[in-house]
Amino acid sequence: MGHRKAAPLVLKGLQRLEYRGYDSAGMALYQDQVVSLYKTQGKVADLAALANFKDANQSIGMGHTRWATHGVPSDANAHPHSSNSGELTLIHNGIIENYEALKKLLVGKGYVFHSDTDTEVLVNLIEEVQKSHQYQLGKAVQVALSQVVGAYAIVVFDTKKTDELVVAKLGSPLAIGMGDQEYFIASDASPFIEYTNKAVYLEDHQLAIIKRDRAPKILSIATDTFTDYYIQELELSLDAIEKGGYKHFMLKEIYEQPRAIKDTYRGRLLAEDGLIKMAGLEEHLDKFLNAKRIIIVACGTSWHAGLVAEYILEDLVRIPVEVEYASEFKYRNPIISNQDVVIAISQSGETADTLAAIKLAKEKGAFVFGVCNVVGSTISRVSHAGAYTHAGPEIGVASTKAFTSQITVLSLIALRIAKAKESISVAQYKEILNELELIPQKVEIALLANQRILEIAHTYKGNHNCLYLGRGVNFPVALEGALKLKEISYIHAEGYPAAEMKHGPIALIDENMPVIVVAINKGHYEKTVSNIQEIKSRKGKIIAIVTEGDTTVQELADHVIEVPETLECLSPLLTTIPLQLLSYHIAVLLNKNVDQPRNLAKSVTVE
Ligand code: G6P
């Protein structure tokens, strides 16, 4: 809302947000009490093709790119949704859990529904409240939301209120970009960063009334009082959210890993002085030192980083660690006490499952430490303390640099606690510290295998199954490798502990099964070599990730990809690289949409 033409701005912004969901898209433009609505199944590019938006002069607009929850991807289910009178238009991120009961109520009052969405119920509920009490829009939204169970970030406009937008948030993120007599509202700051670097992040249970000619007013929905707000100066740069010459964001982000890892330890790892300085950890070190247990909660790739951390933390710190899928944690009545420390890992800092797990952990008295990438994200704010990963914006849906940055931060945390606890020797501490500092340049070397990996991708792109094996700290790397392949190539892949293969998956192995084995010269190397022998005896095709100069595996494997020598605990930072590249190349060769794989979303803000 402001003085610019809304349509091109909204379209560009939606493209930046498309990583959050991309099965349908829509836009509403608003001027002189007339709403023009455009909706389509498909991507933002399909929406852009619906009309000649360049000539659209409206200066108020709203757009949405959807990841279906209620109702299949279709034109009708795409947002924005209008109320029955056509006066209210609304976009929504989240889920209205009690939508069925509300819908029944509204149908009883004569409302008609044109979509299967929970969102259309919400816009009509607001209309019903507005009509029955003669409320202004803001008040109607406030009262309607008090009847809603679920999560939402919404924007509503009303044809009767020409210069006003009402926005509200619970659970799902919402940022207000503060320009000069212009305001931008989005799920994150990327759509408006070229117009303003000033943003207000709405808190849960807050509602804002935004008018072109005055500062937004923010209201607490529960207490019905206006509150002050804090305007953040953002450091996000435009370069960081553009492809910069790479064909895909995923490839750019794979290649950014040396920088991302370095940025993550910069200022924290002072190898020369033998020091680790992390403000968020330092202030609460006693919580970790006195912890009876560390519980790690996360989803997807972040969960894999948690598994890597489990090996490192237990080994170095000698505190029992449990790693939980955040989505399971909440629903199994876990035993948690105030002697537990919960580490929540999340790239986006917005994953609804992880947020729900944090909420429960806090209720039970645990200390929550967040490891997030997105600065100012919800998880970073609701945690008691935390550390950022500094990977920079990750746009590709398949997570890459966030994973290695998470392992970097978690390694620093483990080392700092181990030092304070004296659970490792000074020599070991220094050795790991010095080696961590060398990792970015070793990642550069690992990336040099790109061409070779492309050739291997050519050989295996037609396979329908794939097995990934690893031991110890490289078992989660196998899981992550398999996840990457599944996510972007839609090839069925399974990750397994190498030794566990003989208890089941070995039955799958024949001359058509590619088996990717992480077989670096550390940990249980000889045992992994035996596992490779077992695969070879059954004619499986072996692609091995080995340490530079390895000759033993070279003789057994069909293909080897070398990574530089490093300590076992830091090896996932290197062994992950070829697996990311392999998935990337296979997906490109199969002509898949690498950055926006089907059915997925980068940040899943529904439970
Ligand atoms: C989604 C993404 C995954 C990601 C997971 C957790 O499923 O597609 O790539 O690992 O969410 O996201 P988070 O932002 O919490 O790390």
Side-chain angles (χ1 to χ4, degrees), residues 176-357:
I176 306 172
M178 310 281 282
D180 183 12
Q181 301 219 350
E182 56 178 353
Y183 298 98
F184 310 87
I185 298 139
S187 290
D188 68 38
S190 61
F192 57 73
I193 195 65
E194 66 252 61
Y195 311 112
T196 179
N197 69 340
K198 294 190 174 61
V200 172
Y201 287 90
L202 221 57
E203 300 287 339
D204 276 350
H205 303 286
Q206 282 187 344
L207 177 153
I209 298 171
I210 298 175
K211 291 190 175 199
R212 206 190 304 250
D213 55 358
R214 59 142 217 239
K217 286 188 170 174
I218 296 185
L219 182 90
S220 154
I221 294 175
T223 61
D224 198 17
T225 48
F226 285 102
T227 61
D228 291 339
Y229 49 86
Y230 169 65
I231 302 178
Q232 284 198 25
E233 297 249 346
L234 305 173
E235 282 173 19
L236 184 65
S237 80
L238 205 52
D239 290 351
I241 52 172
E242 291 187 341
K243 278 191 205 142
Y246 285 89
K247 197 166 167 216
H248 296 102
F249 280 112
M250 182 180 179
L251 190 63
K252 177 183 176 229
E253 287 156 8
I254 290 173
Y255 273 87
E256 278 176 345
Q257 289 177 106
R259 202 254 324 123
I261 294 171
K262 205 180 254 174
D263 282 354
T264 298
Y265 71 54
R266 178 172 294 135
R268 293 166 163 173
L269 186 164
L270 309 170
E272 256 179 41
D273 308 324
L275 287 178
I276 291 172
K277 281 190 175 167
M278 298 173 84
L281 179 61
E282 219 54 44
E283 280 169 35
H284 303 280
L285 205 53
D286 58 316
K287 294 276 183 204
F288 283 91
L289 295 175
N290 300 324
K292 289 264 179 296
R293 186 172 57 150
I294 295 173
I295 305 169
I296 298 178
V297 291
C299 303
T301 292
S302 298
W303 184 74
H304 293 155
L307 288 178
V308 172
E310 178 183 24
Y311 283 87
I312 302 175
L313 278 163
E314 286 203 339
D315 185 32
L316 303 184
V317 175
R318 309 306 298 155
I319 297 175
V321 179
E322 284 173 24
V323 187
E324 298 260 2
Y325 282 117
S327 54
E328 285 296 310
F329 181 69
K330 180 178 163 188
Y331 295 101
R332 63 169 185 77
N333 194 13
I335 301 161
I336 315 165
S337 78
N338 58 7
Q339 294 185 309
D340 292 323
V341 167
V342 170
I343 301 180
I345 310 172
S346 174
Q347 185 286 128
S348 62
E350 303 295 348
T351 301
D353 288 322
T354 311
L355 268 165

Side-chain angles (χ1 to χ4, degrees), residues 21 28 33 165 238 242 302 363 369 426 460 473:
Q33 307 198 345
L165 291 173
L238 205 52
E242 291 187 341
S302 298
E363 276 163 20
F369 191 89
V426 174
Y460 295 101
V473 75

